[in-house]
Amino acid sequence: MAEVKISTPHGEMPTYVTTPSGQGPWPGVVVIHDFAGMSQDLRHQADWLASQGYLAAAPDLYWWGSMLRCLRTIMRELGTRQGRTFDDIEAARGWLAGHDQCTGRIGVIGFCMGGGYALALAPGRGFAASSTNYGGCPSDAEQVLAGACPIVGSYGGKDRSPMGYRAAGRLERALTAVGVDHDIKVYPDASHGFLNDHPPADRTALLMVLNVISGTRFHELSAQDARRRIVAFFDAHLKRMDQ
């Protein structure tokens, strides 16, 4: 595990990279953070994926400015589906694709706002599988997700935010309608952010406020099952070289 600087059109982006043990090459995964940015939880998510046989790259999308300034830009660009955030994520994907220990098959996983990006990146962005976690569902999902890569999605049944369980139903219907391979599940006992177990060091004042607004809460049993499904889905779509 190490922090590297990845060249983007806008500068050098800090990225946490963790490598599986054993003999490569391995498929890659770009890990997109939640509101907390480059946190211990983000590193733990990347470490978990590496333990399952994936070369994981977790970029710091707040690298170029203050958290609030970057967050405003990131959320705005998620709506327009273009801009420097997409450039930064593409730089991370390209870095993995060019790595001599990567097979070239690359997935993307995101949490909360990162889950929204994982959905936006599923069609036509070079990813072979996407994992969205409480990342909402675009209002024009059938239009924008036609031709998307396979998608695995996890949502909390107690998450009443726009990113929550209602979005899961819309996403399920849209992906079925456009024939995209998918696995969407709602966890009835889980709230928003149930896969993100932020230690005290991650909990800035702003993050605590955002957690209260969104009802964010880690839920171990739901997280365990979601991780099992994500790994199985990624294994099926990223580790098979005949696809």
Side-chain angles (χ1 to χ4, degrees):
M1 60 191 76
E3 185 173 286
V4 303
K5 294 291 184 70
I6 292 178
S7 295
T8 79
H10 312 283
E12 299 293 304
M13 176 176 65
T15 302
Y16 179 77
V17 175
T18 184
T19 304
S21 60
Q23 185 73 31
W26 308 279
V29 178
V30 177
V31 188
I32 307 178
H33 58 69
D34 61 7
F35 287 148
M38 180 58 77
S39 63
Q40 285 300 111
D41 176 75
L42 181 68
R43 294 180 177 92
H44 293 162
Q45 303 291 352
D47 292 343
W48 156 61
L49 287 162
S51 76
Q52 301 300 312
Y54 294 92
L55 179 62
D60 179 6
L61 299 179
Y62 297 160
W63 68 273
W64 54 271
S66 69
M67 180 180 180
L68 277 176
R69 181 185 174 199
C70 294
L71 189 54
R72 283 195 297 266
T73 298
I74 288 168
M75 297 309 294
R76 182 179 68 249
E77 291 177 347
L78 180 57
T80 62
R81 304 187 186 104
Q82 60 182 346
R84 69 178 301 154
T85 308
F86 284 91
D87 294 342
D88 287 348
I89 296 169
E90 170 56 23
R93 191 203 65 80
W95 184 89
L96 283 170
H99 197 289
D100 62 4
Q101 288 299 303
C102 183
T103 62
R105 292 191 66 78
I106 300 167
V108 59
I109 185 171
F111 307 91
C112 186
M113 70 176 193
Y117 270 88
L119 274 181
L121 292 159
R125 302 274 184 168
F127 290 102
S130 170
S131 170
T132 179
N133 300 286
Y134 29 91
C137 176
S139 58
D140 53 351
E142 285 192 31
Q143 178 183 345
V144 300
L145 294 177
C149 66
I151 295 170
V152 55
S154 301
Y155 295 82
K158 294 182 178 180
D159 183 356
R160 300 184 184 279
S161 76
M163 316 286 274
Y165 73 92
R166 293 183 182 89
R170 296 200 312 274
L171 181 60
E172 173 84 50
R173 292 189 293 273
L175 295 177
T176 299
V178 297
V180 171
D181 188 14
H182 63 278
D183 172 10
I184 309 299
K185 183 170 180 176
V186 175
Y187 291 89
D189 297 324
S191 301
H192 189 76
F194 70 87
L195 273 158
N196 301 109
D197 189 13
H198 287 285
D202 285 353
R203 299 173 193 165
T204 64
L206 178 57
L207 181 62
M208 295 298 288
V209 169
L210 292 172
N211 284 350
V212 170
I213 293 171
S214 63
T216 295
R217 184 173 293 106
F218 177 69
H219 192 266
E220 177 66 37
L221 291 178
S222 300
Q224 287 177 358
D225 186 72
R227 291 191 191 107
R228 176 193 60 78
R229 289 174 42 251
I230 292 164
V231 169
F233 198 85
F234 275 4
D235 284 353
H237 295 285
L238 299 179
K239 291 185 177 178
R240 285 181 55 185
M241 297 306 294
D242 57 343
Q243 294 179 335

